[in-house]
């Protein structure tokens, strides 16, 4: 099974900050890496797929990069609505796996 | 507008069974693979199962294989998961999600609101 490890697990930041979350895969997954945002009590929302393609309607302050085993999600200037939990997911092969999540909180 | 509505959750004793239903609307259900994903209280997301658009292929997480069965009825735009031999550790919110699969573009693009399954004596 492909393990995904997100870092950090918890991040405290301020509005306007630039933040980066990393997702590392235990083996190469090409660019089959997806990022989701989840707010408390809500379903996950698709942000980025194919490691770097922004889903329609997602603000351009979100960006993704990487291939193989190391991927990053960057938010260029945090807005109040961005404080949430972020999950990475690999769709390279079954079993599909998720990272453990990164909780982003307001400092 | 794409809508996915899960139902069938509730409280069940260990060893019991439940069937969850996901009713879809607003898109061509028969063209999409569909998945179930769960989230235990305070925990991350765990993929449970996926079924191909025509029902011809199924995949399961090791944690549920042999106990859960995914199925679909494309004539009713509905996805199911039959959960048997439930364990306390199956307690979670269960989401259904569309699995968009187009060559290099793969993602779970739409999600339902989730349904809570609680396994407890």
């Amino acid at each position: 099974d492909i393990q995904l490890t997100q870092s950090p697990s918890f991040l405290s930041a301020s509005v306007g900050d630039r933040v980066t979350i990393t997702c590392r895969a235990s083996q190469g997954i090409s660019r089959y890496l997806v990022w989701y945002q989840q707010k408390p009590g809500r379903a996950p929302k698709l942000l980025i797929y194919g490691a770097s393609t922004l889903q329609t309607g997602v603000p351009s302050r979100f960006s993704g990069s990487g291939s193989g085993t190391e991927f990053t999600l960057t938010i260029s200037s945090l807005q109040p609505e961005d404080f949430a939990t972020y999950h990475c997911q690999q769709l390279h092969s079954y079993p599909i796996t998720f990272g453990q999540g990164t909780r982003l909180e307001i400092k | 507008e794409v809508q996915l509505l899960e139902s069938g959750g509730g409280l069940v004793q260990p060893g019991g069974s439940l069937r969850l239903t996901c009713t879809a609307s607003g898109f061509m259900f028969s063209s999409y693979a569909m998945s179930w994903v769960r989230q235990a209280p305070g925990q991350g997301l765990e993929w449970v199962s996926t079924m191909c658009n025509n029902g011809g292929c199924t995949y399961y997480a090791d944690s549920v294989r042999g106990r859960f069965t995914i199925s679909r009825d494309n004539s009713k735009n509905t996805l199911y998961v039959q959960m048997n031999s439930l364990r306390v550790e199956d307690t979670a919110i269960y989401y259904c999600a569309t699995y968009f699969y187009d060559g290099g573009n793969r993602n779970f693009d739409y999600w339902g609101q989730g349904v809570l399954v609680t396994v407890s004596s």
Side-chain angles (χ1 to χ4, degrees):
Chain A
D1 298 4
I2 298 172
Q3 312 300 321
L4 296 181
T5 304
Q6 287 182 235
S7 60
S9 295
F10 177 84
L11 183 56
S12 180
S14 302
V15 172
D17 284 354
R18 178 186 180 91
V19 298
T20 297
I21 298 169
T22 298
C23 179
R24 290 186 173 87
S26 59
Q27 61 191 78
I29 58 170
S30 185
R31 294 176 62 82
Y32 297 114
L33 193 285
V34 183
W35 290 98
Y36 300 92
Q37 178 193 66
Q38 187 180 29
K39 296 183 178 179
R42 304 292 299 274
K45 171 189 170 184
L46 174 64
L47 291 179
I48 289 170
Y49 60 91
S52 61
T53 302
L54 218 58
Q55 172 70 343
T56 302
V58 174
S60 58
R61 62 181 179 273
F62 290 90
S63 63
S65 66
S67 67
T69 62
E70 185 148 340
F71 302 86
T72 60
L73 170 69
T74 299
I75 310 172
S76 60
S77 178
L78 276 173
Q79 299 302 300
E81 60 268 30
D82 300 337
F83 292 93
T85 298
Y86 293 85
H87 307 273
C88 60
Q89 176 199 40
Q90 67 82 17
L91 288 168
H92 176 272
S93 56
Y94 290 99
I96 293 167
T97 49
F98 290 88
Q100 80 278 16
T102 295
R103 185 176 170 191
L104 175 56
E105 290 202 342
I106 300 174
K107 183 182 289 183
Chain B
E1 178 192 6
V2 171
Q3 290 195 341
L4 298 170
L5 183 62
E6 301 95 339
S7 60
L11 174 64
V12 61
Q13 292 188 337
S17 297
L18 275 179
R19 188 178 80 159
L20 303 184
T21 298
C22 172
T23 304
S25 61
F27 66 103
M28 188 70 72
F29 181 77
S30 60
S31 295
Y32 268 81
M34 296 293 297
S35 296
W36 290 97
V37 175
R38 69 185 181 183
Q39 187 169 36
Q43 302 300 309
L45 300 171
E46 180 188 15
W47 169 76
V48 172
S49 182
T50 293
M51 173 168 266
C52 297
N53 66 316
N54 61 5
C57 60
T58 57
Y59 304 91
Y60 295 95
D62 286 347
S63 58
V64 307
R65 185 177 292 111
R67 300 187 299 121
F68 289 15
T69 302
I70 191 171
S71 62
R72 63 192 295 161
D73 184 338
N74 284 348
S75 70
K76 296 182 178 179
N77 289 352
T78 303
L79 177 74
Y80 307 97
V81 61
Q82 177 68 42
M83 305 186 295
N84 297 332
S85 303
L86 282 162
R87 305 168 179 168
V88 170
E89 55 265 34
D90 295 318
T91 295
I93 295 171
Y94 285 74
Y95 298 99
C96 68
T98 56
Y99 183 178
F100 180 81
Y101 188 113
D102 178 18
N105 291 333
R106 304 175 186 175
N107 57 74
F108 288 12
D109 49 354
Y110 296 102
W111 297 64
Q113 85 290 347
V115 64
L116 178 62
V117 171
T118 303
V119 184
S120 175
S121 54

